[in-house]
Amino acid sequence: MNSGQYDFAVIGAGVVGCAIARELSRYDCQTILIESRSDLGDGASKGNSAVLSTGADTPFGSLECRLVARGHARYFAEAPSLGLPILAIGSLTVAWNSDQLAMLTSMHADAVAAGFGDGEIVGPDFIYAKTPRLARGAVAAIWDPHEAIVDPFSTPLAYALDAVENDVEFRHSSPVTGAFRNSGIWHLETPAGNIRTGTVINCGGLWADKVDSLGGFSDFSSRPRRGQFIVYDKSARSLLDVVIKPVPTPSYRGVLVTPTVFGNVLVGPTAEDIDDPDDWRTTHEGLAALREAALRILPELGAHEVTATYCGVRPGTDRAEYRIIPRPDASWVSVAGIRSTGLSGALGIAEHVVALASGFGSHLARKSREPRPIRVPSLCSLDPRPWERTATPARADLEIVCHCEGTTLGQIESAFASPIPPRSLKALKRRTRATFGRCQGFYCGARVRMLLDEALAGRTA
Ligand SMILES: Cc1cc2nc3c(=O)[nH]c(=O)nc-3n(C[C@H](O)[C@H](O)[C@H](O)COP(=O)(O)OP(=O)(O)OC[C@H]3O[C@@H](n4cnc5c(N)ncnc54)[C@H](O)[C@@H]3O)c2cc1C
């Protein structure tokens, strides 16, 4: 542990903060990533649609558009070496009537003018060849072959592990509760003591306005927007192999129906402005609206079981765009309002923010050595299971703990042995899929809980 002073303190280990910490790990500087919760990726980053967007559905010319396009390109280039799965299944943005067709045509023309020339307008023959189970009546669609589905939980984990492997310190369970600056050094107050740093990068997501106010800044206020989801059973996965999107309105991207890399079908999100960023409830009305939309788009979903419902909250602000605000005089960067595209844009945002922050003080030099590599185990349902990866699997890789997801004892033990081990059942679920499946832990929950308790007791013993 660095007992002295850091060059950079990144507050908030969501997907954005983790990507920024990883980016900083490529430079000769001391960096700390500080998270209030016991695990990373436990805010907005745990409740999204997991679609890697190209940027073609963001406002053209905006910073968001540029950074999402860059993040998408970098994800394709870098995720495979981190072990992260990408299923490039493409998306169809479907028009169901003549009004939507007019909007679709104009969206496509704007996209081409903005340099997103790969999407093409396709007719019903193409649409139904791609997705035969789609409800009848589709008029046309934009086919974007570059949209992909990814693992939303392993992504921030991979970024954080990479950062830690490359000398960044990660401090969990450390809410920053105060901040003051003395002789050019920020002192960040946490329950375990003050952290001293030259530059602060506020990636507080839903709480970024509160973190900014600790530093004396008040340029924006958070406007949380809740999005509910329904997860359909894996039996539904054969119904589609493409992301189905509606024609968006200026304020709502609408309900999408998409496969997940874990082998389920996901329907959502809703869009509800809420006051409390901690209000993560699903509601009867929200889920009923999603189910109605699901059956309208993919009627055969009605014959499949629902595995789970969940909710995410978008970290919006009082303006629609990203609020990335460099404050060179204060050595503070606010990275807020990463509302609906942070999973896609994180690597682009990281590059942009580090370039901004490196201009604050002395020159930030890249490390001369290559970064030490890390890999996370792929949790994609299409990838080989642990016992299939070698001719002579270890005993723990033959012992299945969670039968719905095929999670082995070996996977759980590896998660506990990680430099960033899970400290809660939720964190263990996100790393291994245990209890995430059809029975939602009915059969394996007690064993998984026991394994977690033993690991936690071992760590404190
Ligand atoms: C319904 C929904 C659907 C979405 N779909 C997609 C999609 O398909 N594709 C896509 O690219 N994006 C999508 N997104 C957007 C994406 O999930 C977000 O943009 C992204 O997760 C934002 O990440 P973040 O790191 O900014 O915030 P967060 O993940 O919220 O991270 C902020 C972190 O800061 C910590 N923190 C806050 N205050 C403090 C403090 N004082 N001290 C220490 N730590 C603190 C929090 O605990 C939290 O972990 C969706 C979002 C939602 C909600």
Side-chain angles (χ1 to χ4, degrees), residues 158-176:
Y159 296 162
L161 283 169
D162 188 335
V164 166
E165 180 66 21
N166 288 288
D167 310 323
V168 170
E169 186 180 329
F170 173 52
R171 210 173 285 180
H172 62 88
S173 312
S174 296
V176 174

Side-chain angles (χ1 to χ4, degrees), residues 10-18 34-37 39-53 68 174-177 202-208 210-211 214 225-229 253 256 268-270 280 310-315 322 335-345:
V10 179
I11 303 177
V15 70
V16 172
C18 292
I34 311 167
E35 169 55 46
S36 60
R37 303 192 181 204
D39 194 29
L40 54 86
D42 198 35
S45 301
K46 72 172 174 225
N48 56 48
S49 319
V51 174
L52 194 75
S53 162
V68 170
S174 296
V176 174
T177 53
N202 167 15
C203 301
L206 289 159
W207 304 271
K210 294 198 173 54
V211 175
L214 301 176
R225 197 168 222 219
R226 188 167 58 191
Q228 304 183 40
F229 292 93
R253 287 157 179 255
L256 52 83
T270 57
W280 291 65
Y310 69 92
C311 162
V313 182
R314 302 168 185 87
Y322 283 2
V335 187
I338 315 296
R339 207 170 53 155
S340 303
T341 48
L343 177 64
S344 312

